[in-house]
Amino acid sequence: MKILSVVLISVTFFITVALGSEESCYLTEEQEDDCAAVCHPIVKPLLRYFEKIQAKEFQFQKDYSELKKKNTDLEKKGQEHNGQISQFQKNYSDLQKKYSDLQESHSELQRRELELISQLQKDKSALQKDISDLQKDISDLQNRVIEVENLQAQIDSKNVEIKLLKDQISELNKTNELATKILRDDIAKLGEIVKNINSVNRTASPSPTRTVQQLPPPSKAIPDRCPQSQNETRIVQEIQIPGSDPFKVVCFSDKEIGSGWMIVYNHLDKPNYFNRTYEEFERGFGDVGTQGDDKYFIGLERLHLLTSRNSYELIMNLYKCDNFVVGNRNEGYMVKANKGCTGLILPNLRQVKFSTWDRDEDGYPYYNLAKRLGFGFWFNHGNGFFISFSIMIRRKD
């Protein structure tokens, strides 16, 4: 619009000059026609040009408004983008801080992990030590349980021995009373005989002396077992079995278990007495007597010969088996059979070899039970055993 105003002013100025009148703004009709004839060819192109210019200016204004609006929008979006960039920068800064914190936390976790691993290793070592101590305590407790069981068995054995001793004392009292009565009767009879002899000597004449030849007593066959019936509780008898010289044994009888029992191992709690070598246990040793506290062992070889030729049953304290067989030396004098066993304490003797301090066959990998306990026996790993006992066998035929 400013350009159009300038053009109009210029046209007016030129018209005024062309007409030569500077004093009046009013034209006559003739002058107007002359002016129109002169100005129309000049002004018409200018007007058209002005119209085009005006149209372009309008379009320019329109484009300018749109551009201004777009610029405003762009500025607004730029502000929004700047806000987003600021937010992104802030978020990035926060992420960097969190990453730094995570690195610190990771380092702390690694340090704590190392400390925890170290502590766990220490705890593991302490736990292993506790387990080792506990295993040792369990082993000691098992040994104590075995000792308690042995003490109980020893008490039971002593009770049996006390009962046997009471029975023996009762039998001895009866025997003593009977012997005293017989002795008195014999003394009385002897007195009568002496009186009769004195009376005869006074009245009868002397007679010549005759020599009486004494004949040796007839020989008896040596038995190979204890008698199936006996009056005394204990007697000493000589027996002989094929493959062995004659030897003495103690035969036992009781009204509850009957007669025919042979005591083969009378073990009392006497320190070191039964701590013998394997060869001594093989041969046998001790005092073969009728006293309850006589300590002896019949011998592994004799025990093998006895039980391998005939069927034998066994009693050991309150433990009883219907069948008992002992192997030979090559088999380690192993208990080859112990069937039909009953009792309060049942040691598993089957397939167990005989052990002594100088020949360990007990199955314990860490120590020698025969050496530790001080006597030879059929020890077995995990097996109960007695400290004081008496083993008796009896033929079943």
Side-chain angles (χ1 to χ4, degrees):
M1 294 300 291
K2 290 180 181 180
I3 296 172
L4 181 61
S5 299
V6 172
V7 171
L8 290 175
I9 293 170
S10 298
V11 170
T12 304
F13 175 75
F14 285 127
I15 292 171
T16 302
V17 173
L19 293 176
S21 179
E22 295 179 0
E23 295 179 356
S24 178
C25 293
Y26 298 99
L27 298 175
T28 64
E29 185 175 352
E30 183 179 0
Q31 287 176 337
E32 288 178 357
D33 291 335
D34 292 339
C35 180
V38 174
C39 294
H40 185 265
I42 298 171
V43 174
K44 187 176 181 180
L46 289 174
L47 291 173
R48 290 179 180 176
Y49 177 76
F50 289 154
E51 289 177 358
K52 292 180 180 180
I53 293 300
Q54 189 175 9
K56 288 182 179 181
E57 183 178 3
F58 178 76
Q59 185 65 38
F60 175 78
Q61 290 293 335
K62 183 179 179 182
D63 294 339
Y64 177 75
S65 298
E66 290 178 357
L67 288 173
K68 190 174 180 180
K69 182 180 179 184
K70 288 181 179 180
N71 183 52
T72 303
D73 294 339
L74 287 174
E75 287 179 352
K76 185 178 179 181
K77 288 183 179 180
Q79 290 176 355
E80 291 177 356
H81 289 163
N82 289 334
Q84 291 178 354
I85 289 171
S86 299
Q87 185 65 36
F88 288 155
Q89 288 176 339
K90 183 180 178 182
N91 293 339
Y92 178 72
S93 178
D94 293 340
L95 287 174
Q96 283 184 325
K97 186 174 182 301
K98 289 181 179 179
Y99 177 72
S100 178
D101 294 339
L102 285 174
Q103 283 185 325
E104 292 180 0
S105 300
H106 180 67
S107 299
E108 181 65 20
L109 286 175
Q110 283 183 329
R111 185 182 65 81
R112 291 184 179 180
E113 182 181 5
L114 292 175
E115 291 179 354
L116 182 60
I117 290 173
S118 177
Q119 185 63 37
L120 287 175
Q121 288 177 343
K122 292 180 181 178
D123 293 343
K124 180 181 178 182
S125 299
L127 183 61
Q128 287 177 339
K129 184 177 181 300
D130 293 340
I131 291 173
S132 178
D133 295 339
L134 183 61
Q135 287 176 339
K136 183 179 179 183
D137 293 340
I138 291 173
S139 178
D140 293 339
L141 182 61
Q142 288 176 339
N143 292 333
R144 290 183 181 179
V145 169
I146 292 173
E147 291 177 0
V148 170
E149 291 176 350
N150 293 332
L151 288 174
Q152 182 62 45
Q154 185 177 353
I155 291 172
D156 295 338
S157 176
K158 293 296 183 183
N159 291 333
V160 172
E161 291 182 5
I162 290 172
K163 181 179 180 302
L164 294 176
L165 288 174
K166 287 181 178 179
D167 294 341
Q168 184 178 0
I169 290 171
S170 177
E171 292 293 334
L172 288 174
N173 288 334
K174 292 179 182 179
T175 304
N176 187 36
E177 291 176 0
L178 180 60
T180 301
K181 181 178 179 182
I182 293 173
L183 181 61
R184 288 175 180 173
D185 292 341
D186 290 343
I187 291 173
K189 290 179 180 179
L190 183 60
E192 293 294 330
I193 292 172
V194 170
K195 288 181 182 180
N196 293 332
I197 290 174
N198 291 333
S199 176
V200 170
N201 287 336
R202 289 194 211 96
T203 57
S205 59
S207 59
T209 303
R210 293 185 299 175
T211 302
V212 179
Q213 185 178 2
Q214 298 290 334
L215 297 176
S219 60
K220 295 182 179 179
I222 301 176
D224 60 352
R225 61 188 295 177
C226 283
Q228 295 178 310
S229 176
Q230 64 186 57
N231 295 326
E232 295 83 358
T233 302
R234 287 182 177 85
I235 62 171
V236 176
Q237 178 168 307
E238 187 177 47
I239 66 172
Q240 185 176 17
I241 53 179
S244 173
D245 295 330
F247 58 94
K248 293 182 179 181
V249 296
V250 177
C251 298
F252 182 84
S253 176
D254 181 76
K255 62 182 179 180
E256 292 183 1
I257 61 176
S259 300
W261 292 98
M262 181 188 305
I263 301 177
V264 296
Y265 196 172
N266 199 37
H267 180 282
L268 301 177
D269 189 14
K270 300 295 182 181
N272 299 323
Y273 183 82
F274 288 93
N275 195 19
R276 305 295 183 100
T277 65
Y278 195 83
E279 297 295 333
E280 289 179 287
F281 272 98
E282 187 175 35
R283 293 191 305 268
F285 57 85
D287 302 322
V288 181
T290 58
Q291 299 299 318
D293 57 353
D294 289 335
K295 305 174 291 296
Y296 66 94
F297 181 65
I298 191 173
L300 291 168
E301 186 62 26
R302 292 170 180 168
L303 195 57
H304 160 66
L305 294 174
L306 284 167
T307 59
S308 62
R309 293 178 60 86
N310 299 99
S311 179
Y312 276 84
E313 56 185 333
L314 172 142
I315 287 181
M316 181 170 63
N317 292 2
L318 302 178
Y319 169 71
K320 183 177 180 181
C321 294
D322 294 335
N323 188 26
F324 181 69
V325 180
V326 175
N328 57 29
R329 179 182 175 86
N330 293 332
E331 296 169 318
Y333 296 108
M334 176 192 300
V335 177
K336 300 175 68 174
N338 61 327
K339 299 178 182 178
C341 299
T342 59
L344 296 178
I345 301 177
L346 300 176
N348 182 18
L349 301 179
R350 184 174 175 81
Q351 303 300 316
V352 179
K353 296 181 180 180
F354 196 87
S355 290
T356 58
W357 67 266
D358 62 338
R359 186 163 176 172
D360 184 12
E361 300 283 359
D362 56 23
Y364 283 79
Y366 303 111
Y367 46 83
N368 185 334
L369 272 178
K371 186 176 182 179
R372 180 179 179 182
L373 298 176
F375 64 93
F377 193 72
W378 292 275
F379 295 113
N380 183 24
H381 180 60
N383 188 17
F385 49 84
F386 301 97
I387 298 298
S388 181
F389 54 86
S390 179
I391 298 179
M392 298 185 295
I393 60 174
R394 179 171 67 178
R395 252 170 71 172
K396 299 177 68 174
D397 57 345

mmCIF file with all atom_site columns, all heavy atoms in Angstrom, residues 277-293:
data_model
loop_
_atom_site.group_PDB
_atom_site.id
_atom_site.type_symbol
_atom_site.label_atom_id
_atom_site.label_alt_id
_atom_site.label_comp_id
_atom_site.label_asym_id
_atom_site.label_entity_id
_atom_site.label_seq_id
_atom_site.pdbx_PDB_ins_code
_atom_site.Cartn_x
_atom_site.Cartn_y
_atom_site.Cartn_z
_atom_site.occupancy
_atom_site.B_iso_or_equiv
_atom_site.pdbx_formal_charge
_atom_site.auth_seq_id
_atom_site.auth_comp_id
_atom_site.auth_asym_id
_atom_site.auth_atom_id
_atom_site.pdbx_PDB_model_num
ATOM 1   N N   . THR A 1 277 ? 48.348 -114.579 73.231 1.00 0.00 ? 277 THR A N   1
ATOM 2   C CA  . THR A 1 277 ? 48.641 -114.625 71.798 1.00 0.00 ? 277 THR A CA  1
ATOM 3   C C   . THR A 1 277 ? 47.665 -115.569 71.088 1.00 0.00 ? 277 THR A C   1
ATOM 4   O O   . THR A 1 277 ? 46.948 -116.363 71.725 1.00 0.00 ? 277 THR A O   1
ATOM 5   C CB  . THR A 1 277 ? 50.071 -115.095 71.548 1.00 0.00 ? 277 THR A CB  1
ATOM 6   O OG1 . THR A 1 277 ? 50.199 -116.448 72.006 1.00 0.00 ? 277 THR A OG1 1
ATOM 7   C CG2 . THR A 1 277 ? 51.077 -114.193 72.266 1.00 0.00 ? 277 THR A CG2 1
ATOM 8   N N   . TYR A 1 278 ? 47.680 -115.485 69.789 1.00 0.00 ? 278 TYR A N   1
ATOM 9   C CA  . TYR A 1 278 ? 46.823 -116.347 68.974 1.00 0.00 ? 278 TYR A CA  1
ATOM 10  C C   . TYR A 1 278 ? 47.187 -117.814 69.181 1.00 0.00 ? 278 TYR A C   1
ATOM 11  O O   . TYR A 1 278 ? 46.294 -118.672 69.265 1.00 0.00 ? 278 TYR A O   1
ATOM 12  C CB  . TYR A 1 278 ? 46.983 -115.960 67.505 1.00 0.00 ? 278 TYR A CB  1
ATOM 13  C CG  . TYR A 1 278 ? 45.918 -116.518 66.597 1.00 0.00 ? 278 TYR A CG  1
ATOM 14  C CD1 . TYR A 1 278 ? 44.691 -115.893 66.464 1.00 0.00 ? 278 TYR A CD1 1
ATOM 15  C CD2 . TYR A 1 278 ? 46.146 -117.670 65.844 1.00 0.00 ? 278 TYR A CD2 1
ATOM 16  C CE1 . TYR A 1 278 ? 43.710 -116.385 65.615 1.00 0.00 ? 278 TYR A CE1 1
ATOM 17  C CE2 . TYR A 1 278 ? 45.173 -118.173 64.996 1.00 0.00 ? 278 TYR A CE2 1
ATOM 18  C CZ  . TYR A 1 278 ? 43.952 -117.530 64.893 1.00 0.00 ? 278 TYR A CZ  1
ATOM 19  O OH  . TYR A 1 278 ? 42.985 -118.032 64.052 1.00 0.00 ? 278 TYR A OH  1
ATOM 20  N N   . GLU A 1 279 ? 48.481 -118.131 69.303 1.00 0.00 ? 279 GLU A N   1
ATOM 21  C CA  . GLU A 1 279 ? 48.924 -119.511 69.505 1.00 0.00 ? 279 GLU A CA  1
ATOM 22  C C   . GLU A 1 279 ? 48.436 -120.045 70.836 1.00 0.00 ? 279 GLU A C   1
ATOM 23  O O   . GLU A 1 279 ? 48.046 -121.218 70.943 1.00 0.00 ? 279 GLU A O   1
ATOM 24  C CB  . GLU A 1 279 ? 50.455 -119.580 69.430 1.00 0.00 ? 279 GLU A CB  1
ATOM 25  C CG  . GLU A 1 279 ? 51.035 -119.187 68.072 1.00 0.00 ? 279 GLU A CG  1
ATOM 26  C CD  . GLU A 1 279 ? 50.627 -120.165 66.985 1.00 0.00 ? 279 GLU A CD  1
ATOM 27  O OE1 . GLU A 1 279 ? 50.372 -121.339 67.303 1.00 0.00 ? 279 GLU A OE1 1
ATOM 28  O OE2 . GLU A 1 279 ? 50.539 -119.740 65.811 1.00 0.00 ? 279 GLU A OE2 1
ATOM 29  N N   . GLU A 1 280 ? 48.442 -119.210 71.885 1.00 0.00 ? 280 GLU A N   1
ATOM 30  C CA  . GLU A 1 280 ? 47.960 -119.665 73.192 1.00 0.00 ? 280 GLU A CA  1
ATOM 31  C C   . GLU A 1 280 ? 46.468 -119.973 73.146 1.00 0.00 ? 280 GLU A C   1
ATOM 32  O O   . GLU A 1 280 ? 46.011 -120.978 73.721 1.00 0.00 ? 280 GLU A O   1
ATOM 33  C CB  . GLU A 1 280 ? 48.247 -118.590 74.246 1.00 0.00 ? 280 GLU A CB  1
ATOM 34  C CG  . GLU A 1 280 ? 49.724 -118.453 74.597 1.00 0.00 ? 280 GLU A CG  1
ATOM 35  C CD  . GLU A 1 280 ? 49.970 -117.355 75.618 1.00 0.00 ? 280 GLU A CD  1
ATOM 36  O OE1 . GLU A 1 280 ? 49.868 -116.171 75.241 1.00 0.00 ? 280 GLU A OE1 1
ATOM 37  O OE2 . GLU A 1 280 ? 50.256 -117.689 76.785 1.00 0.00 ? 280 GLU A OE2 1
ATOM 38  N N   . PHE A 1 281 ? 45.686 -119.118 72.484 1.00 0.00 ? 281 PHE A N   1
ATOM 39  C CA  . PHE A 1 281 ? 44.261 -119.395 72.358 1.00 0.00 ? 281 PHE A CA  1
ATOM 40  C C   . PHE A 1 281 ? 44.028 -120.641 71.508 1.00 0.00 ? 281 PHE A C   1
ATOM 41  O O   . PHE A 1 281 ? 43.043 -121.351 71.708 1.00 0.00 ? 281 PHE A O   1
ATOM 42  C CB  . PHE A 1 281 ? 43.545 -118.192 71.752 1.00 0.00 ? 281 PHE A CB  1
ATOM 43  C CG  . PHE A 1 281 ? 43.081 -117.184 72.769 1.00 0.00 ? 281 PHE A CG  1
ATOM 44  C CD1 . PHE A 1 281 ? 43.836 -116.059 73.024 1.00 0.00 ? 281 PHE A CD1 1
ATOM 45  C CD2 . PHE A 1 281 ? 41.913 -117.378 73.477 1.00 0.00 ? 281 PHE A CD2 1
ATOM 46  C CE1 . PHE A 1 281 ? 43.420 -115.120 73.961 1.00 0.00 ? 281 PHE A CE1 1
ATOM 47  C CE2 . PHE A 1 281 ? 41.483 -116.458 74.417 1.00 0.00 ? 281 PHE A CE2 1
ATOM 48  C CZ  . PHE A 1 281 ? 42.247 -115.321 74.668 1.00 0.00 ? 281 PHE A CZ  1
ATOM 49  N N   . GLU A 1 282 ? 44.910 -120.899 70.576 1.00 0.00 ? 282 GLU A N   1
ATOM 50  C CA  . GLU A 1 282 ? 44.756 -122.092 69.750 1.00 0.00 ? 282 GLU A CA  1
ATOM 51  C C   . GLU A 1 282 ? 44.969 -123.356 70.576 1.00 0.00 ? 282 GLU A C   1
ATOM 52  O O   . GLU A 1 282 ? 44.240 -124.345 70.433 1.00 0.00 ? 282 GLU A O   1
ATOM 53  C CB  . GLU A 1 282 ? 45.740 -122.032 68.590 1.00 0.00 ? 282 GLU A CB  1
ATOM 54  C CG  . GLU A 1 282 ? 45.547 -123.136 67.569 1.00 0.00 ? 282 GLU A CG  1
ATOM 55  C CD  . GLU A 1 282 ? 46.470 -122.977 66.381 1.00 0.00 ? 282 GLU A CD  1
ATOM 56  O OE1 . GLU A 1 282 ? 47.618 -122.524 66.581 1.00 0.00 ? 282 GLU A OE1 1
ATOM 57  O OE2 . GLU A 1 282 ? 46.054 -123.300 65.264 1.00 0.00 ? 282 GLU A OE2 1
ATOM 58  N N   . ARG A 1 283 ? 45.972 -123.331 71.479 1.00 0.00 ? 283 ARG A N   1
ATOM 59  C CA  . ARG A 1 283 ? 46.269 -124.510 72.319 1.00 0.00 ? 283 ARG A CA  1
ATOM 60  C C   . ARG A 1 283 ? 45.323 -124.629 73.495 1.00 0.00 ? 283 ARG A C   1
ATOM 61  O O   . ARG A 1 283 ? 44.975 -125.739 73.914 1.00 0.00 ? 283 ARG A O   1
ATOM 62  C CB  . ARG A 1 283 ? 47.712 -124.431 72.846 1.00 0.00 ? 283 ARG A CB  1
ATOM 63  C CG  . ARG A 1 283 ? 48.779 -124.555 71.769 1.00 0.00 ? 283 ARG A CG  1
ATOM 64  C CD  . ARG A 1 283 ? 50.148 -124.742 72.410 1.00 0.00 ? 283 ARG A CD  1
ATOM 65  N NE  . ARG A 1 283 ? 50.454 -123.680 73.340 1.00 0.00 ? 283 ARG A NE  1
ATOM 66  C CZ  . ARG A 1 283 ? 51.118 -122.562 73.007 1.00 0.00 ? 283 ARG A CZ  1
ATOM 67  N NH1 . ARG A 1 283 ? 51.506 -122.380 71.759 1.00 0.00 ? 283 ARG A NH1 1
ATOM 68  N NH2 . ARG A 1 283 ? 51.375 -121.635 73.916 1.00 0.00 ? 283 ARG A NH2 1
ATOM 69  N N   . GLY A 1 284 ? 44.918 -123.484 74.085 1.00 0.00 ? 284 GLY A N   1
ATOM 70  C CA  . GLY A 1 284 ? 44.127 -123.496 75.299 1.00 0.00 ? 284 GLY A CA  1
ATOM 71  C C   . GLY A 1 284 ? 44.994 -123.228 76.514 1.00 0.00 ? 284 GLY A C   1
ATOM 72  O O   . GLY A 1 284 ? 46.197 -123.512 76.513 1.00 0.00 ? 284 GLY A O   1
ATOM 73  N N   . PHE A 1 285 ? 44.387 -122.713 77.572 1.00 0.00 ? 285 PHE A N   1
ATOM 74  C CA  . PHE A 1 285 ? 45.160 -122.374 78.778 1.00 0.00 ? 285 PHE A CA  1
ATOM 75  C C   . PHE A 1 285 ? 44.196 -122.181 79.943 1.00 0.00 ? 285 PHE A C   1
ATOM 76  O O   . PHE A 1 285 ? 42.982 -122.141 79.768 1.00 0.00 ? 285 PHE A O   1
ATOM 77  C CB  . PHE A 1 285 ? 45.959 -121.077 78.536 1.00 0.00 ? 285 PHE A CB  1
ATOM 78  C CG  . PHE A 1 285 ? 45.122 -119.905 78.137 1.00 0.00 ? 285 PHE A CG  1
ATOM 79  C CD1 . PHE A 1 285 ? 44.497 -119.094 79.075 1.00 0.00 ? 285 PHE A CD1 1
ATOM 80  C CD2 . PHE A 1 285 ? 44.906 -119.620 76.791 1.00 0.00 ? 285 PHE A CD2 1
ATOM 81  C CE1 . PHE A 1 285 ? 43.716 -118.027 78.712 1.00 0.00 ? 285 PHE A CE1 1
ATOM 82  C CE2 . PHE A 1 285 ? 44.116 -118.540 76.407 1.00 0.00 ? 285 PHE A CE2 1
ATOM 83  C CZ  . PHE A 1 285 ? 43.527 -117.750 77.370 1.00 0.00 ? 285 PHE A CZ  1
ATOM 84  N N   . GLY A 1 286 ? 44.755 -122.061 81.145 1.00 0.00 ? 286 GLY A N   1
ATOM 85  C CA  . GLY A 1 286 ? 43.980 -121.721 82.331 1.00 0.00 ? 286 GLY A CA  1
ATOM 86  C C   . GLY A 1 286 ? 43.835 -122.863 83.313 1.00 0.00 ? 286 GLY A C   1
ATOM 87  O O   . GLY A 1 286 ? 44.440 -123.942 83.174 1.00 0.00 ? 286 GLY A O   1
ATOM 88  N N   . ASP A 1 287 ? 43.012 -122.599 84.353 1.00 0.00 ? 287 ASP A N   1
ATOM 89  C CA  . ASP A 1 287 ? 42.794 -123.539 85.453 1.00 0.00 ? 287 ASP A CA  1
ATOM 90  C C   . ASP A 1 287 ? 41.479 -124.280 85.243 1.00 0.00 ? 287 ASP A C   1
ATOM 91  O O   . ASP A 1 287 ? 40.408 -123.676 85.287 1.00 0.00 ? 287 ASP A O   1
ATOM 92  C CB  . ASP A 1 287 ? 42.754 -122.796 86.793 1.00 0.00 ? 287 ASP A CB  1
ATOM 93  C CG  . ASP A 1 287 ? 44.033 -122.004 87.044 1.00 0.00 ? 287 ASP A CG  1
ATOM 94  O OD1 . ASP A 1 287 ? 45.100 -122.509 86.680 1.00 0.00 ? 287 ASP A OD1 1
ATOM 95  O OD2 . ASP A 1 287 ? 43.935 -120.875 87.574 1.00 0.00 ? 287 ASP A OD2 1
ATOM 96  N N   . VAL A 1 288 ? 41.584 -125.579 85.005 1.00 0.00 ? 288 VAL A N   1
ATOM 97  C CA  . VAL A 1 288 ? 40.386 -126.402 84.826 1.00 0.00 ? 288 VAL A CA  1
ATOM 98  C C   . VAL A 1 288 ? 39.969 -126.896 86.207 1.00 0.00 ? 288 VAL A C   1
ATOM 99  O O   . VAL A 1 288 ? 40.553 -127.841 86.752 1.00 0.00 ? 288 VAL A O   1
ATOM 100 C CB  . VAL A 1 288 ? 40.649 -127.579 83.873 1.00 0.00 ? 288 VAL A CB  1
ATOM 101 C CG1 . VAL A 1 288 ? 39.370 -128.397 83.696 1.00 0.00 ? 288 VAL A CG1 1
ATOM 102 C CG2 . VAL A 1 288 ? 41.156 -127.083 82.537 1.00 0.00 ? 288 VAL A CG2 1
ATOM 103 N N   . GLY A 1 289 ? 38.977 -126.240 86.799 1.00 0.00 ? 289 GLY A N   1
ATOM 104 C CA  . GLY A 1 289 ? 38.533 -126.590 88.143 1.00 0.00 ? 289 GLY A CA  1
ATOM 105 C C   . GLY A 1 289 ? 37.051 -126.376 88.298 1.00 0.00 ? 289 GLY A C   1
ATOM 106 O O   . GLY A 1 289 ? 36.360 -125.880 87.397 1.00 0.00 ? 289 GLY A O   1
ATOM 107 N N   . THR A 1 290 ? 36.546 -126.750 89.437 1.00 0.00 ? 290 THR A N   1
ATOM 108 C CA  . THR A 1 290 ? 35.103 -126.692 89.685 1.00 0.00 ? 290 THR A CA  1
ATOM 109 C C   . THR A 1 290 ? 34.664 -125.383 90.319 1.00 0.00 ? 290 THR A C   1
ATOM 110 O O   . THR A 1 290 ? 33.478 -125.207 90.597 1.00 0.00 ? 290 THR A O   1
ATOM 111 C CB  . THR A 1 290 ? 34.688 -127.864 90.596 1.00 0.00 ? 290 THR A CB  1
ATOM 112 O OG1 . THR A 1 290 ? 35.424 -127.789 91.830 1.00 0.00 ? 290 THR A OG1 1
ATOM 113 C CG2 . THR A 1 290 ? 34.954 -129.194 89.930 1.00 0.00 ? 290 THR A CG2 1
ATOM 114 N N   . GLN A 1 291 ? 35.616 -124.491 90.596 1.00 0.00 ? 291 GLN A N   1
ATOM 115 C CA  . GLN A 1 291 ? 35.245 -123.212 91.175 1.00 0.00 ? 291 GLN A CA  1
ATOM 116 C C   . GLN A 1 291 ? 34.666 -122.290 90.084 1.00 0.00 ? 291 GLN A C   1
ATOM 117 O O   . GLN A 1 291 ? 35.101 -122.300 88.943 1.00 0.00 ? 291 GLN A O   1
ATOM 118 C CB  . GLN A 1 291 ? 36.457 -122.543 91.824 1.00 0.00 ? 291 GLN A CB  1
ATOM 119 C CG  . GLN A 1 291 ? 37.072 -123.358 92.971 1.00 0.00 ? 291 GLN A CG  1
ATOM 120 C CD  . GLN A 1 291 ? 36.081 -123.581 94.089 1.00 0.00 ? 291 GLN A CD  1
ATOM 121 O OE1 . GLN A 1 291 ? 35.339 -122.676 94.480 1.00 0.00 ? 291 GLN A OE1 1
ATOM 122 N NE2 . GLN A 1 291 ? 36.053 -124.806 94.609 1.00 0.00 ? 291 GLN A NE2 1
ATOM 123 N N   . GLY A 1 292 ? 33.705 -121.468 90.481 1.00 0.00 ? 292 GLY A N   1
ATOM 124 C CA  . GLY A 1 292 ? 33.051 -120.604 89.513 1.00 0.00 ? 292 GLY A CA  1
ATOM 125 C C   . GLY A 1 292 ? 33.964 -119.535 88.946 1.00 0.00 ? 292 GLY A C   1
ATOM 126 O O   . GLY A 1 292 ? 33.725 -119.019 87.854 1.00 0.00 ? 292 GLY A O   1
ATOM 127 N N   . ASP A 1 293 ? 35.021 -119.191 89.694 1.00 0.00 ? 293 ASP A N   1
ATOM 128 C CA  . ASP A 1 293 ? 35.917 -118.128 89.220 1.00 0.00 ? 293 ASP A CA  1
ATOM 129 C C   . ASP A 1 293 ? 37.197 -118.685 88.591 1.00 0.00 ? 293 ASP A C   1
ATOM 130 O O   . ASP A 1 293 ? 38.150 -117.938 88.385 1.00 0.00 ? 293 ASP A O   1
ATOM 131 C CB  . ASP A 1 293 ? 36.273 -117.179 90.363 1.00 0.00 ? 293 ASP A CB  1
ATOM 132 C CG  . ASP A 1 293 ? 36.922 -117.897 91.539 1.00 0.00 ? 293 ASP A CG  1
ATOM 133 O OD1 . ASP A 1 293 ? 36.976 -119.148 91.511 1.00 0.00 ? 293 ASP A OD1 1
ATOM 134 O OD2 . ASP A 1 293 ? 37.379 -117.219 92.477 1.00 0.00 ? 293 ASP A OD2 1
#
